Amino acid sequence: MSGKVGIIGAGQVGAAGAYLLSQTPGVREIVLVDLDHARARSEASDIAHAAAFGGAAQISAGTYADLAGAAVVVVTAGTSLKPGQTRLDLLAANIHVVSSVLERVLAVAPETVLLFATNPVDVMPAVAVRRFGVPPGRAIGTGCALDSARFRDRLARQLGVAPGSVHANVLGEHGDSEVMHWSGAQIAGMPLTRFAELHGHPLPPEARDAIAQEVRTSAYRIKEGKGVSNFGIGGCIARLARAIVNDEHVVFSVSTFMEELLGVQDTCVSLPHVLGARGASRPFLPPLDELEAAALRHSASVLHDAIRAGLEATAEVGRDER
Ligand SMILES: NC(=O)c1ccc[n+]([C@@H]2O[C@H](COP(=O)([O-])OP(=O)(O)OC[C@H]3O[C@@H](n4cnc5c(N)ncnc54)[C@H](O)[C@@H]3O)[C@@H](O)[C@H]2O)c1
């Protein structure tokens, strides 16, 4: 394992990810690539100065050629959500950016694991697989890994336990149709709702709905106050890249392209996967109750439609540029 991580896009998300990665065990080198090379150079210098207080990673601004041998390339290039926009609204703009990035990355690092944060984050792995022939396990969307961390954090605060003691995932689209997997959530080896009752913090359906809504709308609320959402996704990028660089075989709810899920063809939604040096394992569909299965099927079909629109946009871009 090279311990080398490339980051395309040195904006708010890329810089937060790079900063946290510079403090991540196993990461030895970080290369920032951005259309705006001056921005990448300044972020690299600033982060290097923080790393000089004790972090070990070497960080620089570079070109695509400098990505050769990278274990992971994180894609954060593109525009971000504006007030009133959904992630799917970003499709047309960002599909073009990501396609041009993929062409350049794959020319120098064909074996790398691609980790997408650019929104709509669940469409980008499908573009890598369908248009560029990348194996599904090597094109990973951060997907609901961040939403799952938010879910566990929210439950932990509600129930008075540490987030690490809550085993709970968010499945489906990283976005409005995402599905809280309540029936699979566990604390202390028992169903979460049973633990909540025994621990004196019962979770009736209204409380569960309020928590789900809070998790689902986190990014919108963060952006209302500060205009961007960068540290949560930065932490998510650093954690997932660490799992890949160190071949950890840990399980995260991330998105990879699937030819079929619950009767929906060609989709890409978050499910638990094992992450290691070769990327993501196949997705694991956990047992779901009836409502969760219906909600996940709906989420998968939302993504099926977005992927189809995205692939058509990519094809049109290709034709326009010929
Ligand atoms: N997955 C998530 O959970 C999550 C969370 C927050 C943001 N995001 C997404 O991350 C993306 C980046 O957000 P941000 O806040 O960092 O935006 P930003 O505007 O701060 O940074 C984007 C950067 O991409 C660069 N860029 C644009 N086109 C490029 C290209 N072709 N090649 C190289 N670099 C290019 C720009 O120069 C800029 O520096 C957005 O799509 C946003 O929606 C995802």
Side-chain angles (χ1 to χ4, degrees):
M1 258 296 129
S2 71
K4 178 170 172 178
V5 178
I7 301 185
I8 316 296
Q12 295 286 346
V13 172
Y19 172 66
L20 290 160
L21 274 164
S22 75
Q23 314 289 326
T24 295
V27 175
R28 286 202 291 275
E29 187 184 351
I30 301 166
V31 180
L32 288 178
V33 178
D34 197 296
L35 273 185
D36 182 348
H37 189 68
R39 184 174 186 176
R41 209 172 40 230
S42 292
E43 289 292 4
S45 297
D46 200 12
I47 294 166
H49 299 160
F53 284 101
Q58 185 197 324
I59 172 152
S60 60
T63 64
Y64 283 92
D66 298 316
L67 300 175
V72 187
V73 173
V74 183
V75 181
T76 78
T79 59
S80 59
L81 228 50
K82 306 283 178 300
Q85 262 190 327
T86 69
R87 291 178 179 89
L88 293 181
D89 292 334
L90 291 180
L91 181 68
N94 283 349
I95 202 92
H96 188 183
V97 170
V98 167
S99 297
S100 75
V101 164
L102 283 177
E103 208 167 308
R104 291 174 175 86
V105 170
L106 292 169
V108 291
E111 301 298 320
T112 197
V113 177
L114 297 160
L115 181 60
F116 294 98
T118 300
N119 276 317
V121 67
D122 304 311
V123 171
M124 302 314 171
V127 174
V129 171
R130 281 294 197 223
R131 286 279 179 251
F132 292 87
V134 177
R138 283 207 273 113
I140 304 167
T142 56
C144 292
L146 173 56
D147 313 66
S148 298
R150 288 171 173 154
F151 188 36
R152 286 194 288 271
D153 180 59
R154 183 63 187 80
L155 288 167
R157 282 187 284 115
Q158 181 92 8
L159 300 176
V161 297
S165 297
V166 181
H167 301 282
N169 280 315
V170 179
L171 312 176
E173 177 199 8
H174 169 64
D176 300 340
S177 72
E178 69 188 25
V179 182
M180 312 297 138
H181 186 207
W182 290 105
S183 71
Q186 290 208 336
I187 298 181
M190 66 181 85
L192 180 126
T193 44
R194 177 76 184 127
F195 175 87
E197 265 166 42
L198 292 175
H199 199 45
H201 303 279
L203 276 177
E206 318 77 74
R208 294 208 293 273
D209 288 349
I211 290 171
Q213 185 59 7
E214 204 179 313
V215 171
R216 196 172 284 122
T217 55
S218 283
Y220 298 121
R221 279 180 291 102
I222 290 168
K223 289 179 84 110
E224 262 166 38
K226 60 178 263 192
V228 296
S229 110
N230 56 339
F231 291 119
I233 183 62
C236 175
I237 288 168
R239 183 65 191 93
L240 298 179
R242 174 178 139 193
I244 296 163
V245 166
N246 294 315
D247 197 22
E248 287 183 12
H249 292 247
V250 282
V251 175
F252 283 102
S253 182
V254 291
S255 56
T256 59
F257 180 75
M258 281 166 265
E259 287 186 357
E260 193 271 336
L261 178 71
L262 299 170
V264 179
Q265 313 297 311
D266 288 1
T267 188
C268 184
V269 291
S270 284
L271 287 174
H273 293 71
V274 182
L275 289 197
R278 293 156 62 104
S281 67
R282 69 181 182 85
F284 290 91
L285 178 62
L288 304 170
D289 68 24
E290 221 174 287
L291 286 177
E292 290 164 349
L296 185 59
R297 192 176 303 112
H298 168 66
S299 202
S301 69
V302 168
L303 260 305
H304 167 87
D305 293 347
I307 287 166
R308 199 166 49 190
L311 291 178
E312 279 166 13
T314 316
E316 278 160 23
V317 165
R319 275 198 295 276
D320 289 350
E321 288 179 352
R322 272 198 287 273

